[in-house]
Protein backbone atom coordinates (compact mmCIF):
# COMPACT_ATOMS: atom_id res chain seq x y z
CA UNK A 1 0.00 0.00 0.00
CA UNK A 2 1.27 3.44 -0.53
CA UNK A 3 1.00 6.84 -0.18
CA UNK A 4 0.44 12.23 -2.36
CA UNK A 5 -0.11 11.96 -2.66
CA UNK A 6 2.39 9.43 -0.99
CA UNK A 7 3.94 12.59 -2.06
CA UNK A 8 3.65 16.13 -1.01
CA UNK A 9 3.07 19.17 -3.14
CA UNK A 10 4.41 22.72 -3.15
CA UNK A 11 2.41 25.51 -1.58
CA UNK A 12 2.32 28.85 -3.38
CA UNK A 13 2.46 32.17 -1.67
CA UNK A 14 -0.64 33.67 -3.21
CA UNK A 15 -4.28 32.55 -3.25
CA UNK A 16 -6.06 31.20 -6.27
CA UNK A 17 -9.26 32.36 -7.86
CA UNK A 18 -12.18 30.10 -8.70
CA UNK A 19 -15.32 30.90 -10.60
CA UNK A 20 -17.50 32.64 -8.05
CA UNK A 21 -15.31 31.62 -5.13
CA UNK A 22 -12.27 33.55 -3.91
CA UNK A 23 -10.02 31.57 -1.62
CA UNK A 24 -7.71 33.53 0.68
CA UNK A 25 -5.66 30.98 2.57
CA UNK A 26 -2.19 29.91 3.63
CA UNK A 27 -1.91 27.18 1.03
CA UNK A 28 -2.89 26.86 -2.60
CA UNK A 29 -6.00 25.57 -4.18
CA UNK A 30 -6.61 24.41 -7.69
CA UNK A 31 -6.64 27.08 -10.33
CA UNK A 32 -9.62 27.90 -12.44
CA UNK A 33 -9.23 26.45 -15.95
CA UNK A 34 -9.89 29.88 -17.44
CA UNK A 35 -7.63 31.78 -15.04
CA UNK A 36 -4.45 29.77 -15.05
CA UNK A 37 -2.00 32.65 -14.89
CA UNK A 38 -3.50 34.86 -12.22
CA UNK A 39 -0.91 36.91 -10.37
CA UNK A 40 -0.44 36.38 -6.64
CA UNK A 41 -2.76 38.44 -4.46
CA UNK A 42 0.25 39.92 -2.68
CA UNK A 43 1.01 41.97 -5.78
CA UNK A 44 4.52 40.56 -6.03
CA UNK A 45 5.89 39.59 -9.41
CA UNK A 46 5.27 36.00 -10.35
CA UNK A 47 7.98 33.81 -8.89
CA UNK A 48 9.95 31.25 -10.85
CA UNK A 49 8.65 27.72 -10.95
CA UNK A 50 11.35 26.58 -8.58
CA UNK A 51 10.90 29.17 -5.86
CA UNK A 52 10.72 27.83 -2.33
CA UNK A 53 9.96 28.91 1.18
CA UNK A 54 6.19 28.61 0.75
CA UNK A 55 4.03 28.12 3.79
CA UNK A 56 3.00 24.53 4.39
CA UNK A 57 -0.26 23.07 5.60
CA UNK A 58 1.18 21.17 8.55
CA UNK A 59 -1.96 19.09 9.06
CA UNK A 60 -1.40 17.44 5.68
CA UNK A 61 2.15 16.48 6.66
CA UNK A 62 0.91 15.03 9.95
CA UNK A 63 -1.85 13.06 8.23
CA UNK A 64 0.59 11.78 5.64
CA UNK A 65 3.13 10.70 8.26
CA UNK A 66 0.50 8.98 10.39
CA UNK A 67 -0.84 7.10 7.38
CA UNK A 68 2.66 6.08 6.34
CA UNK A 69 3.08 4.32 9.69
CA UNK A 70 -0.22 2.53 9.25
CA UNK A 71 0.66 1.42 5.73
CA UNK A 72 3.94 -0.13 6.84
CA UNK A 73 2.10 -2.13 9.51
CA UNK A 74 -0.37 -3.33 6.89
CA UNK A 75 2.26 -4.29 4.32
CA UNK A 76 5.30 -5.45 6.24
CA UNK A 77 4.48 -9.15 6.35
CA UNK A 78 3.41 -9.21 2.71
CA UNK A 79 6.59 -7.42 1.63
CA UNK A 80 8.69 -9.87 3.63
CA UNK A 81 6.97 -12.77 1.85
CA UNK A 82 7.33 -11.15 -1.59
CA UNK A 83 3.61 -10.47 -1.81
CA UNK A 84 2.53 -14.07 -1.21
CA UNK A 85 0.10 -15.18 1.47
CA UNK A 86 1.26 -14.97 5.06
CA UNK A 87 0.82 -17.57 7.76
CA UNK A 88 -1.45 -15.27 9.73
CA UNK A 89 -3.44 -12.23 8.71
CA UNK A 90 -1.14 -9.17 8.60
CA UNK A 91 -1.02 -7.68 12.07
CA UNK A 92 -3.40 -10.33 13.43
CA UNK A 93 -7.06 -9.40 13.78
CA UNK A 94 -6.37 -5.68 13.59
CA UNK A 95 -7.20 -4.32 10.17
CA UNK A 96 -4.88 -1.39 9.36
CA UNK A 97 -5.79 -1.24 5.65
CA UNK A 98 -6.88 2.34 6.03
CA UNK A 99 -3.90 3.87 4.28
CA UNK A 100 -5.32 3.51 0.78
CA UNK A 101 -8.34 5.82 1.27
CA UNK A 102 -6.41 8.39 3.28
CA UNK A 103 -3.46 8.55 0.93
CA UNK A 104 -5.72 8.57 -2.11
CA UNK A 105 -7.55 11.54 -0.66
CA UNK A 106 -4.24 13.26 0.11
CA UNK A 107 -3.02 12.59 -3.41
CA UNK A 108 -6.06 14.29 -4.88
CA UNK A 109 -5.54 17.22 -2.54
CA UNK A 110 -1.88 17.51 -3.43
CA UNK A 111 -2.63 17.32 -7.14
CA UNK A 112 -4.91 20.35 -6.96
CA UNK A 113 -2.43 22.21 -4.77
CA UNK A 114 0.25 21.64 -7.38
CA UNK A 115 -2.04 22.72 -10.19
CA UNK A 116 -2.59 26.02 -8.45
CA UNK A 117 1.13 26.44 -7.89
CA UNK A 118 1.94 25.63 -11.51
CA UNK A 119 -0.85 27.87 -12.85
CA UNK A 120 0.74 30.86 -11.13
CA UNK A 121 4.21 30.07 -12.48
CA UNK A 122 4.14 28.55 -15.95
CA UNK A 123 1.99 29.03 -19.06
CA UNK A 124 1.24 25.30 -19.42
CA UNK A 125 0.52 23.99 -15.90
CA UNK A 126 -1.01 20.72 -17.07
CA UNK A 127 2.27 19.79 -18.72
CA UNK A 128 3.88 20.10 -15.28
CA UNK A 129 1.24 17.75 -13.86
CA UNK A 130 1.73 15.27 -16.70
CA UNK A 131 5.49 15.18 -16.14
CA UNK A 132 4.88 14.61 -12.44
CA UNK A 133 2.59 11.66 -13.08
CA UNK A 134 4.95 10.16 -15.66
CA UNK A 135 7.82 10.43 -13.20
CA UNK A 136 5.70 8.75 -10.53
CA UNK A 137 4.90 5.96 -13.00
CA UNK A 138 8.61 5.44 -13.66
CA UNK A 139 9.33 5.27 -9.93
CA UNK A 140 6.50 2.82 -9.45
CA UNK A 141 7.67 0.56 -12.29
CA UNK A 142 11.06 0.26 -10.59
CA UNK A 143 9.50 -0.26 -7.17
CA UNK A 144 7.19 -3.01 -8.40
CA UNK A 145 10.26 -5.14 -9.10
CA UNK A 146 10.84 -5.22 -5.35
CA UNK A 147 7.26 -5.16 -4.07
CA UNK A 148 4.46 -6.40 -6.37
CA UNK A 149 1.81 -4.82 -4.15
CA UNK A 150 3.11 -1.28 -4.51
CA UNK A 151 0.55 1.41 -5.39
CA UNK A 152 2.50 4.15 -7.15
CA UNK A 153 1.91 2.78 -10.64
CA UNK A 154 -1.85 2.69 -10.06
CA UNK A 155 -1.78 6.21 -8.68
CA UNK A 156 0.08 7.47 -11.73
CA UNK A 157 -2.21 5.73 -14.22
CA UNK A 158 -5.43 6.74 -12.47
CA UNK A 159 -4.05 10.24 -12.15
CA UNK A 160 -3.47 10.50 -15.89
CA UNK A 161 -6.83 8.97 -16.77
CA UNK A 162 -8.97 10.75 -14.17
CA UNK A 163 -7.28 13.58 -12.30
CA UNK A 164 -5.60 15.30 -15.22
CA UNK A 165 -8.75 15.41 -17.41
CA UNK A 166 -10.76 16.62 -14.40
CA UNK A 167 -8.79 19.87 -14.39
CA UNK A 168 -10.92 21.01 -17.35
CA UNK A 169 -14.15 20.39 -15.42
CA UNK A 170 -15.92 22.84 -13.10
CA UNK A 171 -15.65 22.01 -9.44
CA UNK A 172 -19.30 20.94 -9.16
CA UNK A 173 -18.71 18.29 -11.82
CA UNK A 174 -15.61 17.02 -10.02
CA UNK A 175 -17.56 16.76 -6.76
CA UNK A 176 -20.43 15.02 -8.55
CA UNK A 177 -18.14 12.46 -10.13
CA UNK A 178 -16.55 11.76 -6.75
CA UNK A 179 -19.99 11.29 -5.19
CA UNK A 180 -20.85 8.78 -7.90
CA UNK A 181 -17.57 6.86 -8.09
CA UNK A 182 -17.00 6.25 -4.38
CA UNK A 183 -20.32 4.41 -3.73
CA UNK A 184 -19.94 2.51 -7.02
CA UNK A 185 -16.45 1.43 -5.98
CA UNK A 186 -17.67 0.26 -2.57
CA UNK A 187 -20.32 -1.88 -4.23
CA UNK A 188 -17.73 -3.27 -6.62
CA UNK A 189 -15.19 -4.01 -3.90
CA UNK A 190 -12.86 -1.02 -4.23
CA UNK A 191 -9.86 -1.08 -6.54
CA UNK A 192 -8.87 1.64 -9.02
CA UNK A 193 -12.43 2.97 -9.09
CA UNK A 194 -12.20 3.81 -5.39
CA UNK A 195 -8.82 5.46 -5.94
CA UNK A 196 -10.32 7.57 -8.73
CA UNK A 197 -13.28 8.61 -6.59
CA UNK A 198 -11.09 9.60 -3.66
CA UNK A 199 -8.69 11.45 -5.96
CA UNK A 200 -11.60 13.53 -7.21
CA UNK A 201 -12.95 14.02 -3.70
CA UNK A 202 -9.59 15.40 -2.55
CA UNK A 203 -9.46 17.71 -5.56
CA UNK A 204 -13.00 18.92 -4.89
CA UNK A 205 -12.14 19.67 -1.24
CA UNK A 206 -9.37 21.97 -2.42
CA UNK A 207 -11.48 23.65 -5.07
CA UNK A 208 -14.30 24.34 -2.61
CA UNK A 209 -11.92 25.87 -0.07
CA UNK A 210 -12.27 23.14 2.55
CA UNK A 211 -8.54 22.44 2.82
CA UNK A 212 -7.79 26.05 3.68
CA UNK A 213 -9.92 25.62 6.80
CA UNK A 214 -8.63 22.31 8.13
CA UNK A 215 -6.27 23.95 10.62
CA UNK A 216 -8.73 26.67 11.62
CA UNK A 217 -11.77 24.71 12.74
CA UNK A 218 -12.46 22.30 15.58
CA UNK A 219 -16.21 21.98 15.50
CA UNK A 220 -16.28 20.85 11.86
CA UNK A 221 -13.94 17.84 12.30
CA UNK A 222 -15.66 16.94 15.59
CA UNK A 223 -19.12 16.83 14.05
CA UNK A 224 -17.92 15.12 10.91
CA UNK A 225 -15.92 12.57 12.91
CA UNK A 226 -18.94 11.74 15.07
CA UNK A 227 -20.99 11.23 11.93
CA UNK A 228 -18.33 8.95 10.46
CA UNK A 229 -18.10 6.98 13.71
CA UNK A 230 -21.87 6.48 13.84
CA UNK A 231 -21.88 5.37 10.21
CA UNK A 232 -18.99 2.95 10.74
CA UNK A 233 -20.65 1.44 13.80
CA UNK A 234 -23.90 0.99 11.88
CA UNK A 235 -22.10 -0.61 8.93
CA UNK A 236 -20.28 -3.05 11.19
CA UNK A 237 -23.53 -3.90 12.99
CA UNK A 238 -25.26 -4.62 9.69
CA UNK A 239 -22.32 -6.72 8.54
CA UNK A 240 -22.34 -8.78 11.72
CA UNK A 241 -26.10 -9.25 11.46
CA UNK A 242 -25.99 -10.69 7.93
CA UNK A 243 -22.59 -12.36 7.99
CA UNK A 244 -24.05 -15.80 8.58
CA UNK A 245 -26.24 -15.52 5.47
CA UNK A 246 -25.20 -16.75 2.06
CA UNK A 247 -25.61 -15.57 -1.49
CA UNK A 248 -25.33 -11.87 -0.64
CA UNK A 249 -22.74 -9.20 -1.32
CA UNK A 250 -23.84 -7.10 1.64
CA UNK A 251 -21.01 -8.12 4.00
CA UNK A 252 -18.39 -7.07 1.42
CA UNK A 253 -20.08 -3.72 0.83
CA UNK A 254 -20.58 -2.97 4.52
CA UNK A 255 -17.02 -3.98 5.32
CA UNK A 256 -15.63 -1.63 2.67
CA UNK A 257 -17.98 1.12 3.83
CA UNK A 258 -16.93 0.64 7.44
CA UNK A 259 -13.24 0.82 6.48
CA UNK A 260 -13.81 4.03 4.54
CA UNK A 261 -15.79 5.64 7.36
CA UNK A 262 -13.20 4.53 9.90
CA UNK A 263 -10.52 6.21 7.81
CA UNK A 264 -12.62 9.37 8.03
CA UNK A 265 -12.73 9.00 11.81
CA UNK A 266 -8.92 8.77 11.93
CA UNK A 267 -8.54 11.90 9.82
CA UNK A 268 -11.03 13.91 11.86
CA UNK A 269 -9.53 12.75 15.15
CA UNK A 270 -6.06 13.89 14.10
CA UNK A 271 -7.40 17.24 12.91
CA UNK A 272 -9.09 17.75 16.27
CA UNK A 273 -5.96 16.75 18.20
CA UNK A 274 -3.95 19.25 16.16
CA UNK A 275 -6.14 21.95 17.68
CA UNK A 276 -5.10 20.92 21.21
CA UNK A 277 -1.85 21.21 23.20
CA UNK A 278 -0.85 17.87 21.65
CA UNK A 279 -0.13 19.61 18.35
CA UNK A 280 3.63 20.10 18.93
CA UNK A 281 4.08 16.43 19.82
CA UNK A 282 2.05 15.19 16.86
CA UNK A 283 3.90 17.53 14.54
CA UNK A 284 7.28 16.43 15.86
CA UNK A 285 6.44 12.73 15.48
CA UNK A 286 4.55 12.59 12.19
CA UNK A 287 5.40 15.68 10.14
CA UNK A 288 9.03 14.67 9.32
CA UNK A 289 7.81 11.28 8.10
CA UNK A 290 5.06 12.96 6.09
CA UNK A 291 7.30 15.53 4.46
CA UNK A 292 9.50 12.69 3.17
CA UNK A 293 6.67 10.23 2.59
CA UNK A 294 7.79 9.06 -0.85
CA UNK A 295 11.38 8.53 0.28
CA UNK A 296 10.23 6.69 3.38
CA UNK A 297 7.71 4.57 1.49
CA UNK A 298 10.36 3.35 -0.92
CA UNK A 299 13.13 2.83 1.62
CA UNK A 300 10.74 0.89 3.88
CA UNK A 301 10.53 -1.77 1.18
CA UNK A 302 14.31 -2.02 1.00
CA UNK A 303 14.62 -2.22 4.78
CA UNK A 304 11.92 -4.88 5.14
CA UNK A 305 13.48 -7.02 2.41
CA UNK A 306 16.94 -6.62 3.94
CA UNK A 307 15.68 -7.54 7.41
CA UNK A 308 13.82 -10.55 6.06
CA UNK A 309 16.15 -11.98 3.42
CA UNK A 310 19.57 -10.81 4.59
CA UNK A 311 19.18 -10.79 8.37
CA UNK A 312 16.73 -13.68 8.29
CA UNK A 313 14.14 -12.14 10.61
CA UNK A 314 10.85 -14.12 10.53
CA UNK A 315 8.75 -11.05 9.75
CA UNK A 316 6.31 -12.91 7.50
CA UNK A 317 5.70 -15.66 10.05
CA UNK A 318 5.77 -13.86 13.38
CA UNK A 319 3.61 -10.95 14.48
CA UNK A 320 6.11 -10.08 17.20
CA UNK A 321 8.93 -9.89 14.65
CA UNK A 322 6.74 -7.82 12.34
CA UNK A 323 5.89 -5.34 15.08
CA UNK A 324 9.51 -5.03 16.20
CA UNK A 325 10.78 -4.60 12.65
CA UNK A 326 8.11 -2.00 11.83
CA UNK A 327 8.96 -0.07 14.99
CA UNK A 328 12.68 -0.15 14.25
CA UNK A 329 12.16 0.95 10.63
CA UNK A 330 9.84 3.82 11.54
CA UNK A 331 12.18 4.98 14.29
CA UNK A 332 15.14 4.97 11.91
CA UNK A 333 13.13 6.78 9.24
CA UNK A 334 11.91 9.39 11.70
CA UNK A 335 15.46 10.09 12.88
CA UNK A 336 16.79 10.26 9.33
CA UNK A 337 13.91 12.49 8.16
CA UNK A 338 14.28 14.86 11.11
CA UNK A 339 18.03 15.28 10.63
CA UNK A 340 17.79 15.48 6.84
CA UNK A 341 15.15 18.21 6.88
CA UNK A 342 17.25 20.37 9.18
CA UNK A 343 19.70 20.81 6.31
CA UNK A 344 17.68 20.17 3.17
CA UNK A 345 14.40 21.49 1.81
CA UNK A 346 12.87 18.08 1.03
CA UNK A 347 13.64 14.39 0.91
CA UNK A 348 16.05 13.01 -1.72
CA UNK A 349 13.37 11.19 -3.75
CA UNK A 350 11.01 14.15 -3.43
CA UNK A 351 13.79 16.36 -4.77
CA UNK A 352 14.32 14.12 -7.79
CA UNK A 353 10.58 13.96 -8.34
CA UNK A 354 10.35 17.75 -8.21
CA UNK A 355 13.23 17.98 -10.69
CA UNK A 356 11.32 15.76 -13.11
CA UNK A 357 8.11 17.70 -12.48
CA UNK A 358 9.51 21.14 -13.34
CA UNK A 359 12.15 19.90 -15.84
CA UNK A 360 14.75 21.97 -14.00
CA UNK A 361 16.97 21.13 -11.05
CA UNK A 362 15.56 22.73 -7.89
CA UNK A 363 17.70 23.82 -4.94
CA UNK A 364 18.10 21.17 -2.26
CA UNK A 365 20.19 22.68 0.52
CA UNK A 366 18.53 25.20 2.79
CA UNK A 367 21.65 27.34 2.52
CA UNK A 368 20.89 28.05 -1.12
CA UNK A 369 18.47 30.68 -2.37
Amino acid sequence: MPREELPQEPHPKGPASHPGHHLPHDGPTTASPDRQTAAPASGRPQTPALSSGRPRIIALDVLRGFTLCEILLANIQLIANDGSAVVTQPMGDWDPWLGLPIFSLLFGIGFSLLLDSAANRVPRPRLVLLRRLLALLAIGLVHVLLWPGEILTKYAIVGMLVLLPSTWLPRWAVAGLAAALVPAALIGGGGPLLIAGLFLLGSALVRYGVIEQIERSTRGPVLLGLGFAAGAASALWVQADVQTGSGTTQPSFTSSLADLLLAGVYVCALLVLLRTPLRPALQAVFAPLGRMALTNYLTATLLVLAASHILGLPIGQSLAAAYLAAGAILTAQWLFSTLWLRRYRQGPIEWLWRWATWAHRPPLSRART
Side-chain angles (χ1 to χ4, degrees), residues 219-232 261 264-269 272:
R219 185 174 64 176
V222 167
L223 295 177
L224 193 59
L226 291 175
F228 285 149
L261 292 172
V265 173
Y266 274 60
V267 171
C268 292
V272 171

Side-chain angles (χ1 to χ4, degrees), residues 275-351:
R275 298 282 294 169
T276 71
L278 290 175
R279 179 186 177 92
L282 291 172
Q283 183 174 335
V285 172
F286 294 117
L289 292 171
R291 289 185 61 187
M292 291 177 50
L294 184 57
T295 295
N296 289 326
Y297 175 65
L298 296 172
T299 56
T301 299
L302 295 174
L303 293 173
V304 171
L305 292 175
S308 177
H309 298 299
I310 297 178
L311 299 181
L313 298 182
I315 296 174
Q317 292 74 39
S318 168
L319 285 177
Y323 276 119
L324 290 174
I329 289 171
L330 291 172
T331 299
Q333 289 185 329
W334 175 85
L335 182 60
F336 175 75
S337 299
T338 300
L339 295 176
W340 179 275
L341 291 172
R342 289 180 181 176
R343 182 172 181 180
Y344 301 105
R345 300 171 186 267
Q346 54 192 159
I349 306 300
E350 285 79 6
W351 177 71

Side-chain angles (χ1 to χ4, degrees), residues 21-84:
H21 189 69
H22 186 64
L23 299 178
H25 52 72
D26 59 354
T29 60
T30 216
S32 168
D34 57 349
R35 298 189 63 178
Q36 295 174 0
T37 57
S42 63
R44 299 175 183 174
Q46 289 188 344
T47 55
L50 300 175
S51 63
S52 58
R54 306 176 183 91
R56 301 188 63 86
I57 302 177
I58 301 301
L60 297 181
D61 289 329
V62 172
L63 285 170
R64 197 176 291 112
F66 172 82
T67 310
L68 184 70
C69 298
E70 190 177 56
I71 285 173
L72 178 59
L73 292 174
N75 285 342
I76 187 168
Q77 289 187 295
L78 295 174
I79 295 173
N81 284 7
D82 301 317
S84 60

Side-chain angles (χ1 to χ4, degrees), residues 91-102:
M91 294 296 115
D93 294 329
W94 178 54
D95 181 9
W97 299 94
L98 305 177
L100 176 63
I102 299 176

Side-chain angles (χ1 to χ4, degrees), residues 26 28 57 60 109 113 202 205-206 209-215:
D26 59 354
I57 302 177
L60 297 181
I109 291 171
L113 296 180
L205 290 176
V206 173
V210 176
I211 298 305
E212 65 174 303
Q213 301 294 334
I214 63 173
E215 293 198 280

Side-chain angles (χ1 to χ4, degrees), residues 109-314:
I109 291 171
F111 189 88
S112 284
L113 296 180
L114 179 60
L115 175 60
D116 180 72
S117 179
N120 286 322
R121 288 163 171 75
V122 296
R124 301 177 66 187
R126 291 179 181 86
L127 181 59
V128 173
L129 297 175
L130 178 60
R131 285 198 299 260
R132 190 166 183 82
L133 292 171
L134 289 173
L136 185 65
L137 178 61
I139 294 171
L141 290 175
V142 174
H143 188 218
V144 77
L145 299 176
L146 299 175
W147 164 222
E150 75 93 35
I151 201 71
L152 300 180
T153 51
K154 291 181 181 178
Y155 271 29
I157 293 171
V158 174
M160 286 185 281
L161 294 177
V162 177
L163 266 180
L164 192 57
S166 76
T167 61
W168 279 277
L169 297 176
R171 60 183 185 178
W172 62 265
V174 174
L177 283 173
L181 289 179
V182 171
L186 293 178
I187 295 173
L193 195 62
L194 180 59
I195 294 175
L198 292 170
F199 277 5
L200 293 174
L201 177 59
S203 179
L205 290 176
V206 173
R207 298 180 69 172
Y208 275 94
V210 176
I211 298 305
E212 65 174 303
Q213 301 294 334
I214 63 173
E215 293 198 280
R216 304 178 187 177
S217 172
T218 302
R219 185 174 64 176
V222 167
L223 295 177
L224 193 59
L226 291 175
F228 285 149
S234 300
L236 291 173
W237 179 81
V238 171
Q239 179 183 350
D241 191 50
V242 301
Q243 200 161 14
T244 56
S246 59
T248 177
T249 59
Q250 186 69 18
S252 176
F253 169 77
T254 54
S255 176
S256 299
L257 178 61
D259 283 347
L260 187 61
L261 292 172
L262 188 57
V265 173
Y266 274 60
V267 171
C268 292
L270 275 175
L271 293 179
V272 171
L273 290 175
L274 286 172
R275 298 282 294 169
T276 71
L278 290 175
R279 179 186 177 92
L282 291 172
Q283 183 174 335
V285 172
F286 294 117
L289 292 171
R291 289 185 61 187
M292 291 177 50
L294 184 57
T295 295
N296 289 326
Y297 175 65
L298 296 172
T299 56
T301 299
L302 295 174
L303 293 173
V304 171
L305 292 175
S308 177
H309 298 299
I310 297 178
L311 299 181
L313 298 182

